[in-house]
Amino acid sequence: MNKTVPRHIAVIMDGNGRWARERGLPRIAGHRAGVAAVRSVVEECARHGIGYLTLFAFSRENWQRPGDEVTALMELLDIFLKKELATLKKNNVRLKTIGHSDDLPPAVLKTLKSVETDTRSHDGLTLVLALSYSGKQDIVDAVRKICEKISSGELALEDVSEITVEEHLATKGIPEPDLLIRTSGEMRVSNFLLWQTAYTEFYVTDKFWPDFSADDLKEAIDEFRKRERRYGLTSDQMKAGGK
Ligand code: IPE
Ligand code: IPE
Ligand code: MG
């Protein structure tokens, strides 16, 4: 039994559209209901002493959805950030983003930057929002930055290591996720944290994201604590003290 709580939890918040369809509602009603789930999960993580919570809020591929859905999602994000600032402050939460947030509408980007600035001194939970995020693109961006440094002579080719790559990813300074939760039953990673989930424990629940509660989070954490993370070693080796 792994006694520790995860230091970093990542979540693919999926199933808002299906939640709405089951109720005969427009997809955006599902996204709106999903915001309430975000609020409760953030508060629960802050309460549990989790260090990092990364939420996949909008993928780079999601820009290809119908225009009205994208517009509504951007509006919801803006409203969420404005409304939640007080709660983030109260809970000592620091907000960070990963992804190409420059792709966001200028007004939303402005709100995002101001919430990041207003919460940057907080040292409780770090809430990482993945916005216009693509795991493959993140790796491409890192490769480009590394190649630039090699061609300018700032970095030697033989010094490029896993650590070099990690230091050029958007998640620089953030530990790898211990637990990745995906709601709505889909068994795929959908271009989320590809590099960073090399040894992450996956937990999939059939619940749609708007129905995911603080109790469901606790259940996922309990399941995580039962897992044996072996990192390629044998169970006996792990019991003898790990690597
Ligand atoms: C997740 O819910 C939210 C985003 C991807 C922005 P979906 O909108 O993907 O819901 P489903 O998968 O269609 O049910
Ligand atoms: C992943 O969900 C992205 C987010 C949760 C923001 P999608 O609904 O976009 O993923 P696919 O299309 O089912 O793989
Ligand atoms: Mg989906």
Side-chain angles (χ1 to χ4, degrees), residues 13-21 27 29-31 34 73 208-210:
M13 309 183 290
D14 199 14
N16 294 352
R18 279 163 282 172
W19 182 93
R21 195 172 58 203
R27 293 179 57 84
H31 297 313
L73 278 166
F208 295 139
W209 176 250

Side-chain angles (χ1 to χ4, degrees), residues 171-213:
T171 46
K172 177 183 182 219
I174 299 172
E176 288 177 356
D178 301 295
L179 172 64
L180 171 68
I181 298 170
R182 182 162 188 157
T183 56
S184 89
E186 307 294 357
M187 302 283 185
R188 56 177 172 264
V189 75
S190 299
N191 204 7
F192 196 26
L193 302 161
L194 300 181
W195 171 285
Q196 298 87 341
T197 50
Y199 273 105
T200 299
E201 295 294 326
F202 283 33
Y203 178 88
V204 175
T205 167
D206 283 334
K207 283 205 178 176
F208 295 139
W209 176 250
D211 291 328
F212 192 83
S213 65

Side-chain angles (χ1 to χ4, degrees), residues 57-130:
F58 196 82
S59 73
R60 262 197 120 190
E61 291 78 14
N62 290 152
W63 291 113
Q64 296 162 55
R65 290 192 178 193
D68 56 347
E69 181 171 347
V70 171
T71 306
L73 278 166
M74 292 300 132
E75 275 168 18
L76 266 184
L77 174 62
D78 197 50
I79 295 167
F80 168 79
L81 290 167
K82 285 176 176 155
K83 260 193 163 164
E84 284 324 285
L85 182 60
T87 323
L88 298 180
K89 284 185 171 170
K90 189 183 90 195
N91 290 307
N92 193 23
V93 178
R94 176 171 65 132
L95 185 89
K96 269 183 74 72
T97 61
I98 53 171
H100 284 195
S101 58
D102 288 355
D103 297 342
L104 299 176
V108 183
L109 184 59
K110 194 169 160 226
T111 309
L112 195 60
K113 295 277 173 219
S114 83
V115 176
E116 274 186 275
T117 309
D118 288 353
T119 61
R120 82 182 149 203
S121 63
H122 295 168
D123 58 3
L125 172 71
T126 298
L127 172 62
V128 184
L129 291 184

Side-chain angles (χ1 to χ4, degrees), residues 113-178:
K113 295 277 173 219
S114 83
V115 176
E116 274 186 275
T117 309
D118 288 353
T119 61
R120 82 182 149 203
S121 63
H122 295 168
D123 58 3
L125 172 71
T126 298
L127 172 62
V128 184
L129 291 184
L131 292 166
S132 195
Y133 181 82
S134 149
K136 284 190 176 182
Q137 187 61 47
D138 194 13
I139 294 169
V140 171
D141 291 344
V143 169
R144 283 197 187 150
K145 285 183 220 154
I146 293 167
C147 289
E148 262 167 32
K149 287 186 182 174
I150 292 171
S151 63
S152 73
E154 192 184 326
L155 186 67
L157 182 58
E158 52 274 23
D159 290 337
V160 175
S161 65
E162 286 185 15
I163 293 169
T164 319
V165 176
E166 270 150 23
E167 284 178 346
H168 291 83
L169 289 169
T171 46
K172 177 183 182 219
I174 299 172
E176 288 177 356
D178 301 295

